[in-house]
Amino acid sequence: MPGKSNKRNITRRSFLRRVAAGALGLIGAAAMEPVIAGLAKAEGAATQAGKGKCNFLFMLADDLGWKDLGCQGSSFYDTPNLDRLAAGGTRFTSAYAACPVCSPTRASIMTGRYPARLGLTDFIGGGRSAKLITPRFLNRLPLEEVTIAEALKQAGYATFFAGKWHLGPEGCWPENQGFDVNMGGTNSGMPSGGNKYFSPYGNPRLPDGPPGEHLPARLAVETAKFIEAHKDQPFLAYLAFYSVHTPLMARADLRKKYEQRRAERNLDDQWGQEGERKVRLNQCHAVYGGMVEAMDQAVGHVLDALDRLKLADNTVVIFMSDNGGLSTAEGQPTSNLPLRAGKGWLYEGGIREPMIIRWPGQAKPGSVCDEPVISTDFYPTMLDMAGLAAMPRQHCDGVSIAPLLTQLGGRIAPRPLFWHYPHYGNQGGSPGGAVRLGDWKLIEFYEDNRVELYNLAEDIGEKNNLAAKMPEKA
């Protein structure tokens, strides 16, 4: 690709060895060899079911918790459109973001690479020290990376971005990273100009709408317009909501609805303790409920456009969140129970996400998959679905999960998943790393090198630390 260097200085094998035997100190290099071999085999066994240029609608929520959807178990927030998406596709119950905060996860989706490999390990604009001096990190997604948008564009796809980008300063915005159209993507990590979630937006890449226009609805309208304008060619429509990130602001009608619901159910805030932070234990925040439902309505607008344009049968729809729900800071608007903690933490509440994929004709409607998958997997999966050649030097930390979606019941090779977050989160988390392999998860805290070991199959809430009882495994 002109202007893009694909030179790599580290191989998959050496990266896994370094993470396993060095930074995380979790798994010996010798033990990694069969896993590495399995990863290579999985990458080379791309499914044949998805040949042909399907369309892609990728929707990414911001700060949405694992249990914030009705189909995920919420009884307080209404999400009928995402629930019907799940009913028409596959819901992943062990899906992970590559980082407990936003920018690194977003970069992992764009590149198929772990944040540690990219050198982008904290949200852009963050970075603070306390007991430890935390490492420097990149303040942008390097232009040398070949993004999924660029890969699809090379294959003839029209590409569109709407919403939150937060991957660097101007010159590194979506239009510089493979997207033909950019509606709203800047260096900002939240709606921060104008009236924030309501027009005027004060966003240099999103013209203001009528006064009071609601941002998630506007982004959905723009996405639907793009889809209609490009209905006769393959497209990637990437809708990255600013919702449900702070500031906590909801439409008046939806706020009133959830205030009434809270009163009718006689709900009061319930609190626990996570380290030095107060953590929310129940879902009853009226403003947040309104934000979740407004985002869901925006999802519905775009799904309805696919139906109206008769494109639904040839469009893969993907939905995920970039990190866990906000439960220990900044208003503590949601609870991730039964998961522990939330955004900014390496516990499950910070990294396990709601994820849905609808692949018409391939994924069984209403199916559920508990195989651990991670945000680096989207890149090779989308290439696989589109019948395009894999780019293993680029998406070297992901595998195609297309076999998990086909009704033939395919599998992927067992592998470890890694997290490296050497930073102090605004939400109370401290520098650490983690690995999940099978049912087991190990967390290392860098301040004092202590470790915690959990069997997630038996203890999804990470309440029973087995490190002292099972030192050989830890």
Side-chain angles (χ1 to χ4, degrees):
M1 178 173 294
K4 289 273 182 176
S5 168
N6 205 29
K7 183 177 180 181
R8 302 292 178 235
N9 297 316
I10 182 169
T11 65
R12 172 194 294 276
R13 187 183 298 267
S14 63
F15 171 71
L16 290 176
R17 280 177 173 158
R18 289 183 193 183
V19 173
L24 296 179
L26 300 174
I27 299 177
M32 290 298 300
E33 293 297 335
V35 177
I36 294 168
L39 286 167
K41 182 178 179 181
E43 282 194 339
T47 178
Q48 298 298 310
K51 296 301 180 184
K53 288 185 180 178
C54 55
N55 307 311
F56 292 100
L57 169 61
F58 195 116
M59 295 180 286
L60 184 66
D62 192 0
D63 291 0
L64 188 75
W66 185 72
K67 200 179 177 182
D68 284 352
L69 307 181
C71 60
Q72 288 285 112
S74 177
S75 60
F76 189 73
Y77 314 133
D78 289 339
T79 57
N81 295 294
L82 285 163
D83 295 347
R84 71 175 163 111
L85 180 65
T90 301
R91 183 168 57 88
F92 287 78
T93 54
S94 294
Y96 290 94
C99 189
V101 294
C102 56
S103 300
T105 298
R106 290 164 187 270
S108 76
I109 295 170
M110 284 290 142
T111 65
R113 312 183 100 210
Y114 276 123
R117 189 187 294 273
L118 291 167
L120 205 174
T121 51
D122 202 0
F123 72 93
I124 293 173
R128 62 185 182 86
S129 297
K131 181 178 180 179
L132 298 180
I133 299 174
T134 57
R136 295 180 179 179
F137 59 95
L138 294 182
N139 70 344
R140 67 197 66 199
L141 177 63
L143 294 176
E144 291 77 17
E145 297 293 333
V146 180
T147 67
I148 183 60
E150 288 170 319
L152 292 177
K153 187 173 181 177
Q154 281 188 325
Y157 278 71
T159 56
F160 169 89
F161 184 91
K164 174 176 171 174
W165 180 246
H166 202 193
L167 287 174
E170 190 167 5
C172 297
W173 288 358
E175 61 266 33
N176 309 112
Q177 297 280 20
F179 290 97
D180 299 324
V181 180
N182 172 19
M183 297 297 293
T186 69
N187 60 319
S188 181
M190 66 184 76
S192 56
N195 288 336
K196 300 179 174 60
Y197 272 104
F198 298 91
S199 184
Y201 304 114
N203 184 316
R205 288 295 184 270
L206 186 66
D208 291 333
E213 177 187 72
H214 199 211
L215 180 57
R218 169 66 179 281
L219 296 177
V221 167
E222 296 292 347
T223 304
K225 284 181 181 178
F226 170 84
I227 290 172
E228 184 163 13
H230 296 84
K231 59 184 172 59
D232 296 324
Q233 71 177 111
F235 62 79
L236 164 64
Y238 195 104
L239 173 52
F241 290 103
Y242 282 94
S243 308
V244 290
H245 197 289
T246 56
L248 299 176
M249 301 172 67
R251 287 181 358 220
D253 61 322
L254 290 175
R255 177 172 183 162
K256 181 178 179 180
K257 169 184 173 175
Y258 285 95
E259 287 174 342
Q260 291 177 339
R261 175 169 294 178
R262 174 175 170 137
E264 290 167 357
R265 298 182 182 180
N266 197 28
L267 296 174
D268 293 317
D269 295 333
Q270 297 178 13
W271 304 101
Q273 198 71 23
E274 185 61 66
E276 298 179 356
R277 297 295 182 105
K278 184 171 67 171
V279 60
R280 179 177 286 276
L281 300 180
N282 65 336
Q283 295 182 343
C284 64
H285 195 291
V287 172
Y288 187 84
M291 295 176 75
V292 171
E293 184 167 349
M295 182 196 67
D296 180 81
Q297 290 175 359
V299 169
H301 181 86
V302 184
L303 295 180
D304 290 346
L306 292 177
D307 292 337
R308 174 173 53 83
L309 297 168
K310 300 185 179 351
L311 294 172
D313 289 344
N314 193 40
T315 301
V316 175
V317 181
I318 300 170
F319 178 86
M320 198 189 190
S321 179
D322 65 349
N323 51 246
L326 191 57
S327 65
T328 61
E330 300 161 68
Q332 294 107 330
T334 197
S335 171
N336 301 304
L337 287 178
L339 306 186
R340 182 174 177 180
K343 177 182 179 179
W345 298 75
L346 287 170
Y347 294 117
E348 293 291 283
I351 55 177
R352 193 185 290 215
E353 313 303 332
M355 175 175 150
I356 303 166
I357 299 181
R358 188 177 75 184
W359 188 11
Q362 300 299 331
K364 181 180 179 182
S367 57
V368 177
C369 179
D370 194 45
E371 182 75 20
V373 298
I374 195 166
S375 52
T376 54
D377 294 334
F378 288 122
Y379 198 133
T381 301
M382 293 166 72
L383 294 182
D384 195 356
M385 290 172 162
L388 300 174
M391 298 170 60
R393 291 185 68 204
Q394 174 59 55
H395 54 68
C396 52
D397 297 318
V399 301
S400 173
I401 62 172
L404 298 175
L405 289 156
T406 67
Q407 298 184 40
L408 300 176
R411 300 188 63 81
I412 60 175
R415 57 178 175 151
L417 303 180
F418 295 108
W419 293 266
H420 177 58
Y421 186 57
H423 303 285
Y424 290 94
N426 291 342
Q427 298 77 28
S430 63
V435 61
R436 175 172 176 173
L437 181 59
D439 293 334
W440 293 93
K441 179 182 174 186
L442 186 70
I443 306 174
E444 180 181 8
F445 296 89
Y446 296 161
E447 283 189 342
D448 54 12
N449 297 318
R450 65 187 168 87
V451 296
E452 296 180 2
L453 177 69
Y454 299 100
N455 184 332
L456 295 177
E458 299 176 356
D459 180 23
I460 194 173
E462 296 169 292
K463 298 177 181 178
N464 185 19
N465 177 13
L466 300 172
K469 292 182 180 179
M470 306 180 71
E472 72 289 347
K473 183 174 285 290

